[in-house]
Amino acid sequence: TPKYHTREVARKLSELTGALLVMGSATPDIDSYHRAVTGEFLLLQLKERTKGSRLPEVFVTDMRKELEDGNRSAFGLPLQQAIRENLEKGQQTMLFLNRRGYSTFVSCRKCGEVLTCPSCNVSYTYHASDKALVCHYCGKEVPVPKICPSCGSHYIRYFGTGTQKIEEETRRLFPEASVLRMDADTTTGKNGHARILELFGKGKADILIGTQMIAKGHDFPNVTLVGILAADLSLNLGTYQAAENCFQLITQAAGRAGRGELPGQVFIQTYQPENHAIRMAAAQDYEGFYQEEMNYRELMGYPPAEHLMAVLMMGAEEEHLALAAKYLKEYTLRIDREQKLQVIGPASPYVGKVNDVYRKVLYLKCETIDPLIDAKNKMEKYIEINRGFQSIRIQFDLDPMNIF
């Protein structure tokens, strides 16, 4: 707090100073591109890569078919073969998975209990290097129990995958390869990022595994192969921007291959090859993705087709928070006499509790932004004069970049 979008601050600063604002991206966010195609921004396009390099050849692996054929590895057979060929040629590979840790969650196979952080109501992630369960929201770390805390059985098992597990499997499948991993766990020390990138840039490693840290901006001429594992992870985040985030990450990660004189290859592994974000990222077709995504946004009334305001309410007492959220919604409906607003909620967001603080969220939609701003101003006054809201923290976010 205060929360702001850097792009909007830059726009205002350029207005105040008369400066020229240049926004550059291979994968612009939908809102910025919409402003460009509707004439609010000037659109300039670079049609070719620098240094005369060509875009990589992209292959999509349907992991459902791999599973049917008996391959239970995180690596599809086409990617395994491509990595072996790359190692033989002395060229480098980058493997992208947007999830750190060893396993996504730990569960009891007898009763089905998933081990969760009591402060955040989200599942712990198993980190093999520390032999511990870690909450990625509050940072709490606990040892792995030997028996299930719910039923007392010994059938504790690890499910899902993260970058640590991918590193282990990479070393098993390709024992001759030198492997580096770059994620939040390996870059916590001083100069952690720079050290890993320097080693890889000097050719001291054959394979670099990482989260989105490795997906953007890096230019290694000897990287000719990129493997995108579990490409559809970000499609399942429960937000209207999920497809946009997925398309951006895949396209950015794919862009690391073939940046020098050598041609590049990209393997996208997915369980949803028919999804438009996957299809258009494989075709490296931003305009096609924009058109399909805007059709969806217009149909559902999401930005930039319409405007959205998220009202996030946080409090230590769950029942009191629920009551406050109920009253705030009722007040919002009373002041919307012309019924311009669509009010959704209150509901628990994707993570309903963080650090022992409960959360509720209201969403307000409208074709124009002025009624939302007017509702926000009236809601603020209502909150200020009602003592029941004194223990509740409330945050307004117009056209939010992240849905809570």
Side-chain angles (χ1 to χ4, degrees), residues 314 317 320-321 323-325 327-328 379-394:
M314 297 163 280
E317 297 179 23
H320 181 69
L321 177 66
L323 190 61
Y327 285 150
L328 194 59
M379 289 163 79
E380 285 180 334
K381 290 179 181 177
Y382 176 72
I383 291 162
E384 188 176 341
I385 63 175
N386 282 274
R387 288 185 299 173
F389 289 101
Q390 287 182 357
S391 62
I392 306 293
R393 284 187 292 141
I394 300 178

Side-chain angles (χ1 to χ4, degrees), residues 9-22:
V9 174
R11 286 186 65 207
K12 190 62 180 178
L13 189 61
S14 66
E15 287 176 17
L16 294 172
T17 62
L20 176 68
L21 174 63
V22 180

Side-chain angles (χ1 to χ4, degrees), residues 31 33 44 50 52-54 68 116 120 131 175 208 212 216 218 223 226 237 247 282 320 343 364 372:
D31 181 63
Y33 194 75
L44 303 172
T50 59
S53 62
R54 292 170 293 168
E68 287 175 7
T116 58
C120 301
K131 293 184 172 57
L208 175 62
Q212 58 183 309
K216 307 174 185 181
H218 305 303
V223 171
V226 168
L237 294 180
F247 176 87
H320 181 69
V343 183
L364 279 65
L372 291 175

Side-chain angles (χ1 to χ4, degrees), residues 160-173:
T161 192
T163 47
Q164 283 189 23
K165 192 171 185 178
I166 293 301
E167 180 184 14
E168 181 182 281
E169 189 164 355
T170 301
R171 294 184 186 279
R172 180 180 61 80
L173 288 172

Side-chain angles (χ1 to χ4, degrees), residues 1 27 29 32 41 70 95 109 120 157 163 165 200 207 220 250 260 275 293 314 348 404:
T1 303
T27 55
D29 63 87
S32 292
F41 294 166
L95 298 175
R109 296 189 71 176
C120 301
R157 293 293 182 269
T163 47
K165 192 171 185 178
F200 192 65
I207 301 173
F220 299 112
I250 292 174
N275 186 280
E293 185 64 13
M314 297 163 280
S348 293
F404 303 113

Side-chain angles (χ1 to χ4, degrees), residues 107-172:
S107 175
C108 172
R109 296 189 71 176
K110 184 175 181 181
C111 71
E113 177 80 7
V114 175
L115 302 182
T116 58
C117 171
S119 299
C120 301
N121 280 359
V122 294
S123 59
Y124 282 118
T125 300
Y126 175 58
H127 287 241
S129 58
D130 303 317
K131 293 184 172 57
L133 301 177
V134 180
C135 174
H136 285 178
Y137 282 83
C138 70
K140 183 177 292 183
E141 189 172 312
V142 298
V144 181
K146 290 185 169 58
I147 62 171
C148 174
S150 180
C151 73
S153 85
H154 293 269
Y155 298 107
I156 302 291
R157 293 293 182 269
Y158 309 110
F159 296 87
T161 192
T163 47
Q164 283 189 23
K165 192 171 185 178
I166 293 301
E167 180 184 14
E168 181 182 281
E169 189 164 355
T170 301
R171 294 184 186 279
R172 180 180 61 80

